[in-house]
Structure formats: structure tokens, C-alpha cells
Amino acid sequence: MINLIKLLMILSLGSVLLLSNGCGNTDAGDVTSNSDSDSDSDTDGDTDSDADADSDSDSDTDSDSDSDSDADMPVSCDSLEMDGETVVVTLLDEQNYSFSNEIEFESTTVGSRADITFIWEDLTTDMVEQPVNPSEDIGLILVSMWDHPEEETVAIMNSDTWTMKDMLTPPGIFEVTNGETRINYLSLVSMGGSPLEEEGLLNLIDASMYSPDDFSYSIMVSTGTTPGKNARMIAYFNIDPESDNHEVIVHNKSAELDYTVDLSNLQKISIPAQTADVFVDWSLDVGPLYNSMGKDFIPTDITEAMVAHYAELSPADLKADFLNLENLAEGNIWRKTIQMGTYVNLSELTNEDGDPFTGIDSTGTWIIALTCGRCAIPAPWFLSIFSTCEE
């Protein structure tokens, strides 16, 4: 799904240096991931989520919640909204799951006005614990300068409230074309690919001009070459004129994502079995007001619609490995890129072989997910569970 913690993850543009667009976090659920996290106490969820968080046992919560969810009263197919032969589904807040996350970042201190070397040769696992081949999977490096001290920048990212105004200048980038696993700071170019003046680059990391008390820096390594998309890892660095270190090493623990997800309190979406002609609408006037993180749902930020089938997995199984949803589906995924608009007909979704979606059945778990492709945190903005209506 990486797509952090998901992170953001995660997760886009900002200085002559980096960062990813944030999909922030708020509502909590009843399953927490990341071995470093022992508590759900940081969640800001709603009443249902708080009740989940108060549970003494995640496994007990899963069992109770999922049995309640599965006990939903069946819906008659005759009660569905129709437009001729087309089933019309209007997405609603009560159908959405909830997701919350917090990313903890490591920071490296480097010297002032130095040609820093960024190294990711030891990056073998990304923010959501998926494998990375450092010489094959990384296509873009972004380095950004933030108009805030590091602690404040991290807080803004985790609250999903940052804007372009939080960055001092557009980021510098480097496209990885020959399997590089390290680059120098002075190799960065502009977003348009134009060379950047050495003096200007060095000025941006001059502690006498930009005090570490007021500014901070980050590097994002990504798969592909689209800025702000498919972030694999993010690391921070700060400037100290007394430091003789000139290396920033991006590694498996540079950023760690703790997340909580709740699939048990959503209202399932009923549609007829074996029916692909389903019109799904998430426009602002009728669709969700909030995304899964509790932030404003911006319909035009959705870049992909996806349906997936997990033939032998329950919602509790999906929660236990939530950021690995795509791999868990074992190829049973149908997608459509949303270039424009705030709706999709599910008959337009196709799998990796180009075969069209033909409808759901009553086996396993079927989900529909809407994702924000420019966001750092790879958690869907909207995700719900399909069920078959009664004929």
C-alpha cells in the first residue's frame, strides 16, 4: 500500500531540499501496529474509537468488534438507489474506517555549508516495514528546507496541518537512474531539472544565515520519479557549525510509524452480487466530510479507486497487517486512476492483467478504497467493506 505510517506516508514540495505530502492522523481504532508502541493512549479518535482504545486486549477487541460488524442486518437489494440498471452508491462518513498514526523521526547533525552526502545503501525496509532494494527501488530523492524548527515541523506533519507556506523554497531533487545509493547535496537540481547554483545551495545550509533554532531540513527517498509520491523513507537533519559530520545516512529506523486502525465500527456498503455496474460517488455535496484521519475530505485529492478481495481473510486479519493490504490480496485487486472527477463506475476498474471487475460475491472480505496518491502516509482516505444485499 505504499503507499506511512501512511504515512504516510507519507506523503511534497518545499525547499531546495525535501518532504512528502502528509496524510495526517486523528481518529483511532482498535489495532495498533509497530512493535515499539505499547499503548494506544495517543489516539485522538471519536467515542467509538476511544471505547476501542480502552480495551485491555487488542485481540479481545478484534473478536468482539468483528462479531458485531458481521452481525449487520442484511439489506434488501430492492432498497438500493438505482439509476436505470446502475446501482448508485453515495459514500458516507459512517461507512468509512478510521486510521491514526504518528511518525517518529531520527535526526542527524551535519556541519554548516558542507557538501553533505546522502546515503541510503543500508535501507532495506521502509516506513511500513516493506522490503526495499536500495539500488533498484529508489528513483527520486527530495531534500526540503522547512520554515520551522525541527520539533515544530514534525508536529505539523503528524497533525496533517502543513502547507507549502511551511517550506522556505521548492525542494531540490535528484533522479536516480544508475542504481546510485548515495548522492551529494550539490548534485541537487530544481523541480524542473535545471541546475542550482552552488552558492545558493550552500547558503541554505549556512547556520549563520538560517539558524537551526528557526529552520529544519529533511530528505525523502521514493520509488518512482513523481515528487511527493511513493515515499519509502524520510529522515531529518539539522545544521551545527561545530559539527564535522558531512553524512546523512537514511536507514531502516530513520522514520518509524505507529498506527491504529478500526474496521469494526463502519457501516458496510451493500450491493448486489456479481454486479459491476455500480456508480460510486464521493463528491463534496453528497460524499464524506472527513477522511479516515478525521481531516477534511477533499474529493479532488482522490487519485485512485480500488476494489480488493481477500478470499480467506476476515476484517480482523486485515487490521492485523493493514499497511500490507495489497500483498494480502494476492492479485485480487481492481483499480482505476482518477484523473478528474469525484466518482467512478466499478465496471471501469481492471486488474493487473487488464480484466474488468465483474462484481463481488459472499466469500471472504471485499473492500473498496479511495487513496490520495500525493500523500506520504499510505493509508486510504476512505475504505469500507462491501456486503451482498438480499435479492
Side-chain angles (χ1 to χ4, degrees), residues 58-86:
D58 282 343
S59 59
D60 290 342
T61 305
D62 286 345
S63 176
D64 295 341
S65 300
D66 289 330
S67 62
D68 291 342
S69 178
D70 292 339
D72 290 344
M73 293 296 293
V75 174
S76 169
C77 294
D78 292 337
S79 67
L80 301 182
E81 181 181 354
M82 303 292 294
D83 183 3
E85 298 296 318
T86 301

Side-chain angles (χ1 to χ4, degrees), residues 286-300:
V286 297
L289 296 177
Y290 305 101
N291 65 24
S292 58
M293 282 72 76
K295 305 301 180 182
D296 289 344
F297 188 98
I298 304 172
T300 52

